[in-house]
Amino acid sequence: EKVLVGAPVLFLDEPTSGLDASSALQAAELLRVLGSQNGTTIICSIHQPSERVLLCADHVLLLATGGKQVYFGPPANIQNHFEKALGESITEDATPAEWVLEMISLEVGGPERVERCAAAWAKEGLAAKVKQLKTSVPDEWGAPNKTSLIDPLRHTAVLFHRSMLNTMRNPLVVWVRMGMYAALSIVIAT
């Protein structure tokens, strides 16, 4: 929770990796609650989410193999979008999340189906929504201003401060490194 205080955006790379289904769902629900309580935008990359984990998100950007964008919007609308785009209905033995992931993978769906999904996404104007989101980002989140590029001493001071904090928080690492350097010195000297 301390990480989220005052952070406008939090990026997480596979926060549910290595977790069982129940733990992954709990993690997704916790992220949703923490994000809404603190007003933080949370952006996650999640590979093969379960249906319930997928529904924890407000918006989902699906990328097919090769990085092709095939959907952006609420997770509840994914099934309708793909049924309309592909002209196919979900199979009875699959959940919507599983079915969509199969449709946009080259191994199962094939390259033609992936191309149809990407074309349908662009045709419906959903690609324009992502471009609109890119342009609506506030200036303070955008490119660095010129003063931050001109001030390398400030950057050095900030990095030095972070390094010292990390050193103070992990004294065992410092002692291990000192021992390692001492041992290497002896080995190299002999």
Side-chain angles (χ1 to χ4, degrees), residues 21-101:
S22 175
S23 298
L25 178 60
Q26 287 177 350
E29 289 172 342
L30 178 65
L31 288 172
R32 182 178 179 94
V33 168
L34 291 176
S36 64
Q37 284 177 350
N38 296 315
T40 301
T41 300
I42 298 177
I43 300 172
C44 300
S45 64
I46 299 179
H47 298 279
Q48 299 178 331
S50 69
E51 182 76 13
R52 294 179 67 194
V53 168
L54 192 65
L55 291 173
C56 286
D58 292 327
H59 291 86
V60 175
L61 172 63
L62 292 179
L63 301 174
T65 305
K68 294 183 178 174
Q69 300 171 352
V70 294
Y71 180 78
F72 175 73
N77 297 345
I78 292 175
Q79 182 179 345
N80 293 337
H81 169 75
F82 281 97
E83 286 180 345
K84 190 164 78 170
L86 298 173
E88 301 176 26
S89 296
I90 186 171
T91 57
E92 291 182 19
D93 61 337
T95 66
E98 290 173 342
W99 181 72
V100 167
L101 291 175

Side-chain angles (χ1 to χ4, degrees), residues 84-144:
K84 190 164 78 170
L86 298 173
E88 301 176 26
S89 296
I90 186 171
T91 57
E92 291 182 19
D93 61 337
T95 66
E98 290 173 342
W99 181 72
V100 167
L101 291 175
E102 288 178 3
M103 294 300 107
I104 63 175
S105 73
L106 286 176
E107 294 78 24
V108 179
E112 304 84 26
R113 187 174 279 154
V114 171
E115 287 300 325
R116 283 192 350 222
C117 290
W121 186 77
K123 180 181 174 186
E124 289 186 19
L126 295 174
K129 286 183 181 180
V130 172
K131 287 180 184 172
Q132 179 184 7
L133 285 175
K134 286 181 186 176
T135 59
S136 68
V137 173
D139 287 339
E140 64 265 16
W141 297 355

